[in-house]
Amino acid sequence: MAHFLRPHRAILAVTALAASGILLAGCAAAAGSDSADDASAEPVEIAGVEIAVDDDARALLPDDIAEAGRVTAATDAPYAPFEMFVEEGSEELTGVDILLGQAIGAKLGIDVEFAQQGFDGIIPALQAGNYDLTISAMTSSVERMDVLTFVDYSASGTGILTRAGNPDDIETYLDLCGKDVAVQTATSQVELVTDVWQAECEAEGLDPISLAEFPSDSDAQLAITAGKAVASLLTKPSAGFVAKTTNDGETFMVVEDPEAPNGYDATLNGIGVLKENEQFAEAIQAALQSLMDDGTYTTILAEFGVEGIGIDAATINAAAESAS
């Protein structure tokens, strides 16, 4: 999933808090610890789950990180549901990336602190040594692998948001042929419809999708509730979050196509570290896999209604393999 570029923001340290009143526990290790053995043995509670240190994953940590007991992760909020402010005017962050980063830290016995950084400045800031990693819904693109190593943690593409109960019986994107569909202007979803789906509608002998473009996703969603569109197209994690949080889940639902569980035209998202820090990437991968194995990973995704972007295993630079 491509993350839109945003204006640069000044670096601002923030405390991560989970949504729905779930509080992230304190640091898993004290800053400035003199020994890797000083990591707290007390479990950390995230999304209602107690997370203990995974000794095998922690053993992979570079010595300097294990001894420091903390790392700083660059992120660019708001970009719901990955990273967003707890409430308007607040500097406290929540979201998939925030909880997942804290959970990885708990598995490794270190504290992951988040800092605000404009998305287009994240990679240069990593190169400048301002951050240790980035968790910011970044696409694990082959081009970025010239600089970063990615631990892949989700995959997302285009989702279909429709009325709760699916009264129009939309099961796949081909069911949109001949129907009114809303979309935010200048997005990849517009390109997907015009460049790919319209031709497939024609090939199936169906009428083209009647696509209406709106200034924002929220305007496109209003078109559904006003009866002017049967569905809207947006990234699948955004669709899942909207469906879960709007009117307590009573207004919208996401179409789940078994042929595209992560959304249409899905791409991998990754946690990025500098290419030369491969040992740190391997520790993150082990911690993430541990979260997948014990179910915490799915619990965090479910907290924001985005189970559909989950992947089966934590991989490193998997997009490079699929591109070759």
Side-chain angles (χ1 to χ4, degrees), residues 70-97:
R70 64 177 61 204
V71 292
T72 304
T75 199
D76 182 24
Y79 188 66
F82 288 97
E83 39 270 334
M84 52 195 172
F85 298 103
V86 172
E87 59 185 18
E88 187 174 354
S90 172
E91 295 178 356
E92 296 172 350
L93 290 175
T94 185
V96 174
D97 287 348

Side-chain angles (χ1 to χ4, degrees), residues 209-221:
I209 297 169
S210 179
L211 196 65
E213 298 184 35
F214 294 88
S216 68
D217 277 338
S218 59
D219 291 327
Q221 292 148 26

Side-chain angles (χ1 to χ4, degrees), residues 36-37 39-41 52-61 106-109 283 286-287 290:
D37 295 332
S40 172
V53 173
D54 184 304
D55 292 334
D56 291 336
R58 181 173 171 81
L60 297 174
L61 273 177
K107 286 286 187 181
L108 295 174
S290 182

Side-chain angles (χ1 to χ4, degrees), residues 250-304:
E250 297 296 321
T251 300
F252 301 113
M253 64 168 283
V254 179
V255 174
E256 297 292 345
D257 184 348
E259 298 299 318
N262 298 109
Y264 300 103
D265 201 26
T267 55
L268 288 167
N269 302 319
I271 300 167
V273 302
L274 288 176
K275 194 173 181 179
E276 57 265 30
N277 294 340
E278 185 173 348
Q279 184 180 350
F280 186 27
E282 290 174 353
I284 294 170
Q285 179 191 26
L288 177 58
Q289 188 62 56
S290 182
L291 292 169
M292 291 176 170
D293 293 342
D294 68 19
T296 305
Y297 170 78
T298 301
T299 298
I300 291 173
L301 296 184
E303 180 69 20
F304 300 94

Side-chain angles (χ1 to χ4, degrees), residues 23 36 62 202 243 253 272 310 318:
L23 180 64
E202 182 179 358
M253 64 168 283

